[in-house]
Amino acid sequence: MKKGILATITCVILTILCGCEEIENVNEGFSSELSNIIMSYQSEPQTQSEEPEAVREMTEVYYSYHNLNETEQMLYLEIFDALTAMSEEKRISTLDSEQLDRIFECVLNDHPELFYVEGFKYTEHFFGDTLTGISFVGSYSMTKEEAESALAEIEQSLSDCMSEVPLNEDEYSTVKYLYEYLIDNTEYDKDADNNQNIRSVFLGHRSVCQGYAKAMQYMLQKVGIQSFLVTGYTGAERHAWNLVRVNGKYYYLDPTWGDASYSYGGNEDTENEVFLPPINYDYFLVTTSEIAKTHSFEDLVMLPACDSTEDNYYVREGLYFEQYDRQQLENIFDSEAVKQEDYVTLKCADSQVYQEMLSEIIDERQIFGIIKNNEGAISYASNEELCTISFWNIFY
């Protein structure tokens, strides 16, 4: 009689990466149920999988990979290879199903091009009561041929954008160009097809937060800029945004909150709404402390301290005030950019500067001396939490 019994248990993991308020909450990302049990006899334990096929390193654009240890990186590469090839079940180099869940999510948060991945299944192999190995296989929304065809369509849809991206300027200009392109070509729509992946943005031009964030990440990675999909909450709603490395420093970027169509809730009837510019820059390359006012984070990998304001939109565009400066205000309102757009948002360094600005330019009505060619009525809105003051219908 053969010694020992090998019980092979297959657990089906139902996995849709959660990131938006529109995704049903599946127990912190994953739930599992027993699918079937196959009993077989074996005289000796099965060995662990051989050295993974992938021996390469991921490039620097993939944030989570470079924040894993060597063992986790090996598993990451095994999962990535399996998902890219859409291969049959294969042995992987872990015996820890929780680690498998986490590294699988790291792979998806690094790779928006894996838009066809829906989840995975794993099989636990036992020799008696001893776990001897785990096999992994992805689950997909389309065939390999269909995925390749969809990716070709995405690349074609981006060809004009990528041919115009300002790669010869500093990275701030590149990120700003792609941010504006994404918002100009996408509408927020909770009912959009494929709204958890990049197909909704590049092929349907309608999406929700996870589609926006993955599309932003995809474009940034194509031009060599490191970006990571960050998931968490805004209030009680799930949300997704980006971590981006620009000119060597880390910032947060929320393209969904930059789109006026999101602020309008997808309702284009904005007659009774307060004026909003088509593109909002309040969450364009911001610090951890700034975004933490409204966003809370899920802990997938260690995130850096984002404390630089060098490439923040308001700083780079000369719209940031560390103190009240009337000459700076006059220069802003006299600029061709403001005259052409007929709106502008100013940001203050802190609440003290914000209150001083409001007192001087609104309460003391200095704004009428600062803005030229105005007939006597100015529209404005202030945001105490963000320390911003916006003006529109300035020149008429």
Side-chain angles (χ1 to χ4, degrees):
M1 178 178 292
K2 294 184 177 180
K3 300 177 182 178
I5 297 176
L6 177 66
T8 303
I9 302 176
T10 303
C11 298
V12 178
I13 310 301
L14 307 177
T15 58
I16 292 292
L17 183 62
C18 296
C20 303
E21 62 275 19
E22 294 78 18
I23 309 174
E24 61 176 317
N25 195 342
V26 285
N27 299 325
E28 300 300 329
F30 304 109
S31 64
S32 62
E33 60 183 21
L34 187 64
S35 176
N36 58 68
I37 300 176
I38 304 170
M39 303 293 295
S40 63
Y41 294 92
Q42 184 166 305
S43 59
E44 296 181 1
Q46 294 186 12
T47 59
Q48 279 290 294
S49 58
E50 296 179 357
E51 190 73 15
E53 296 176 7
V55 293
R56 67 191 178 284
E57 287 275 323
M58 285 280 147
T59 67
E60 285 292 328
V61 301
Y62 302 112
Y63 175 83
S64 67
Y65 173 81
H66 290 282
N67 285 273
L68 301 174
N69 62 42
E70 289 186 9
T71 300
E72 292 169 330
Q73 287 180 344
M74 177 180 290
L75 178 58
Y76 177 112
L77 292 173
E78 292 168 348
I79 294 171
F80 176 73
D81 276 359
L83 297 178
T84 302
M86 300 175 73
S87 59
E88 299 296 325
E89 190 174 62
K90 61 178 288 186
R91 286 293 189 100
I92 52 177
S93 59
T94 187
L95 298 178
D96 184 344
S97 60
E98 291 186 1
Q99 183 186 58
L100 173 58
D101 285 351
R102 186 174 73 86
I103 302 303
F104 173 82
E105 195 170 352
C106 285
V107 172
L108 290 195
N109 282 23
D110 264 356
H111 294 275
E113 74 275 15
L114 298 176
F115 53 82
Y116 51 84
V117 176
E118 291 189 323
F120 68 91
K121 296 186 295 183
Y122 72 93
T123 303
E124 292 182 325
H125 303 278
F126 288 85
F127 181 75
D129 293 330
T130 303
L131 179 63
T132 61
I134 291 180
S135 298
F136 170 94
V137 64
S139 57
Y140 309 106
S141 62
M142 57 181 63
T143 66
K144 187 174 180 62
E145 291 72 22
E146 289 170 338
E148 290 172 348
S149 176
L151 184 58
E153 289 184 61
I154 289 169
E155 290 297 306
Q156 180 60 40
S157 75
L158 277 174
S159 58
D160 289 343
C161 168
M162 290 299 154
S163 67
E164 298 293 331
V165 65
L167 294 175
N168 293 327
E169 300 181 38
D170 74 351
E171 290 182 339
Y172 169 84
S173 300
T174 300
V175 177
K176 183 171 178 284
Y177 170 84
L178 293 175
Y179 177 82
E180 292 170 347
Y181 174 87
L182 172 61
I183 293 171
D184 284 340
N185 288 277
T186 313
E187 292 296 317
Y188 185 85
D189 183 357
K190 290 183 178 181
D191 299 320
D193 292 335
N194 301 306
N195 61 24
Q196 301 305 301
N197 65 64
I198 62 176
R199 284 183 293 163
S200 59
V201 172
F202 298 131
L203 302 183
H205 303 289
R206 310 185 77 83
S207 195
V208 296
C209 61
Q210 185 147 292
Y212 274 78
K214 286 190 172 185
M216 189 75 216
Q217 178 187 29
Y218 184 73
M219 293 189 295
L220 289 170
Q221 289 176 343
K222 283 181 67 67
V223 297
I225 294 177
Q226 187 184 86
S227 178
F228 178 64
L229 181 78
V230 182
T231 56
Y233 291 85
T234 53
E237 296 183 332
R238 294 190 64 82
H239 193 56
W241 61 99
N242 300 106
L243 173 73
V244 185
R245 188 173 64 190
V246 179
N247 295 322
K249 296 181 179 179
Y250 283 103
Y251 303 86
Y252 287 107
L253 174 71
D254 191 337
T256 311
W257 282 28
D259 195 336
S261 67
Y262 169 78
S263 300
Y264 290 136
N267 180 6
E268 296 183 4
D269 180 13
T270 60
E271 182 177 349
N272 297 318
E273 298 283 351
V274 173
F275 170 80
L276 290 175
I279 300 178
N280 183 295
Y281 297 93
D282 287 342
Y283 293 89
F284 182 84
L285 304 184
V286 298
T287 63
T288 300
S289 61
E290 188 78 5
I291 203 165
K293 294 176 182 177
T294 50
H295 297 52
S296 61
F297 301 79
E298 291 178 327
D299 297 326
L300 179 62
V301 294
M302 181 72 71
L303 294 172
C306 302
D307 52 16
S308 174
T309 60
E310 288 182 17
D311 281 315
N312 174 265
Y313 168 80
Y314 293 106
V315 174
R316 286 293 300 261
E317 303 297 326
L319 304 173
Y320 186 77
F321 288 78
E322 295 183 340
Q323 60 184 11
Y324 176 70
D325 186 333
R326 176 164 176 147
Q327 185 59 55
Q328 183 181 354
L329 282 168
E330 290 182 356
N331 292 341
I332 289 170
F333 285 107
D334 197 41
S335 69
E336 289 303 318
V338 172
K339 289 179 180 178
Q340 181 177 352
E341 297 293 342
D342 202 27
Y343 71 83
V344 68
T345 298
L346 313 174
K347 186 171 180 64
C348 302
D350 54 40
S351 59
Q352 182 177 344
V353 177
Y354 169 79
Q355 293 298 338
E356 183 181 2
M357 288 272 286
L358 281 179
S359 176
E360 295 289 342
I361 62 179
I362 303 299
D363 297 342
E364 300 296 326
R365 307 180 74 81
Q366 290 189 24
I367 190 68
F368 293 106
I370 293 170
I371 300 178
K372 302 175 177 61
N373 302 320
N374 183 277
E375 298 296 327
I378 296 170
S379 300
Y380 83 95
S382 57
N383 187 316
E384 185 174 3
E385 183 177 45
L386 296 176
C387 295
T388 59
I389 308 171
S390 300
F391 297 89
W392 64 96
N393 295 334
I394 303 168
F395 304 103
Y396 58 92

